[in-house]
Amino acid sequence: MRTSLAFGLRLLTNVSPQTHLTGFSHAIRARFRRSPRNCGLRLIGVFLAMLPAVGFSQFTPQMTGQINTQSSTTSSAPETTAPSASSSGTTNSSSAALPAGITAPPGYQLTANDGIAVEVFGEGDLKTVARLNSEGNASLPLLGSVHLAGLTLTQATARVTELYARDYLVSPKVNVTLLGYARRRFTILGQVNHPGSFEMPETSPGGIDLMEAIAMAGGYTRIAAPERTSVRRHSASGDQIMRVNAKRVERGQSANFRIQDGDSITVGESIF
């Protein structure tokens, strides 16, 4: 009886992997050896008391595994981050690079509607791109409206340097570059294939040749009289009309004629 009960209790207690149940079985065996009387009743009472502990010991690992599984699934979910502030399309003018300039002819003087770039080395906030208005003035940071028309790029650089050094900066290093010429247009009418108004190439700030202007208009018609070409030019004293023999110019028998901004060309018609 003692051996079978002890053996059965040993089997029961070995089912649970928990340390406190194993220690509990040692206490039961000790009491069983000390008090063989009524051991059956005591063993039944101890067995009934152990049932909740055994059930909890089997339930806990299952619940722990489920909780761990849910935790790992949640932690593996992708994180959503807010968009970076740098995604904005706004550009800081102090860090933006200035457009590349063009090479002006030697001695070229700035005129109304010319585009320029002004850079003060070491002063990023003073970088600016400006276009001279109809009065020949450019708006520059701190300085406001500055008259630059009629100045070469070297003279314009000296002028801006002087103004910044007068009230704002100590020994400023300024660079003024030309970004684009003002739009220069001419009009050609009469016996050409495509009469109208044309814009001069930026590569020719001083104007274009008469023959180039006629070529831009598609050349002469079959009834054109190139020797009867006239050019109307606006000036401060009034309009001036100049007679030009385009046939002699084309043959190289006369000096080349230069078309300037605002000129109006008329090619005459031959008389039979």
Side-chain angles (χ1 to χ4, degrees):
M1 179 65 178
R2 184 187 309 173
T3 303
S4 61
L5 288 176
F7 179 75
L9 183 60
R10 187 180 295 111
L11 292 177
L12 180 61
T13 55
N14 287 339
V15 171
S16 173
Q18 304 297 328
T19 304
H20 65 277
L21 293 178
T22 305
F24 201 28
S25 65
H26 289 302
I28 295 173
R29 286 198 299 268
R31 177 172 292 188
F32 176 74
R33 293 190 183 97
R34 291 195 301 267
S35 304
R37 291 181 179 179
N38 300 325
C39 62
L41 296 176
R42 292 175 181 175
L43 183 59
I44 293 173
V46 171
F47 176 74
L48 293 176
M50 288 173 57
L51 286 177
V54 174
F56 181 77
S57 65
Q58 297 298 324
F59 174 76
T60 302
Q62 297 176 1
M63 288 298 297
T64 303
Q66 294 178 1
I67 293 173
N68 291 338
T69 302
Q70 294 177 359
S71 176
S72 61
T73 303
T74 304
S75 62
S76 63
E79 296 183 357
T80 303
T81 57
S84 173
S86 61
S87 61
S88 173
T90 307
T91 304
N92 189 351
S93 59
S94 62
S95 60
L98 293 176
I102 61 177
T103 303
Y108 175 79
Q109 296 180 349
L110 295 173
T111 62
N113 295 321
D114 278 350
I116 62 171
V118 179
E119 182 177 9
V120 183
F121 295 99
E123 301 292 338
D125 294 338
L126 300 183
K127 289 181 181 179
T128 186
V129 173
R131 183 171 291 276
L132 277 64
N133 60 19
S134 59
E135 298 178 354
N137 299 330
S139 181
L140 304 180
L142 299 179
L143 302 179
S145 182
V146 179
H147 187 75
L148 298 177
L151 302 179
T152 65
L153 292 176
T154 301
Q155 293 170 339
T157 299
R159 176 63 175 161
V160 175
T161 301
E162 176 190 357
L163 294 176
Y164 275 126
R166 180 183 300 174
D167 297 317
Y168 301 102
L169 302 174
V170 177
S171 300
K173 295 181 179 181
V174 179
N175 186 33
V176 178
T177 56
L178 181 65
L179 297 181
Y181 300 108
R183 291 184 176 180
R184 294 168 171 81
R185 304 188 69 86
F186 68 93
T187 302
I188 183 167
L189 304 172
Q191 297 304 314
V192 289
N193 289 308
H194 304 292
S197 179
F198 299 87
E199 185 173 333
M200 296 184 183
E202 287 192 351
T203 54
S204 303
I208 60 175
D209 295 339
L210 174 61
M211 305 313 301
E212 183 179 355
I214 294 174
M216 292 176 65
Y220 302 119
T221 64
R222 63 181 183 85
I223 60 173
E227 66 277 7
R228 299 178 56 202
T229 300
S230 63
V231 177
R232 180 186 296 270
R233 181 168 296 170
H234 302 284
S235 63
S237 58
D239 290 352
Q240 180 183 7
I241 298 178
M242 296 167 284
R243 305 292 180 180
V244 182
N245 189 332
K247 182 180 292 188
R248 293 178 61 88
V249 172
E250 184 179 4
R251 293 174 179 177
Q253 298 173 350
S254 297
N256 201 357
F257 190 88
R258 202 77 173 165
I259 301 300
Q260 299 181 4
D261 179 38
D263 284 354
S264 180
I265 307 166
T266 301
V267 177
E269 180 181 351
S270 61
I271 301 175
F272 297 98

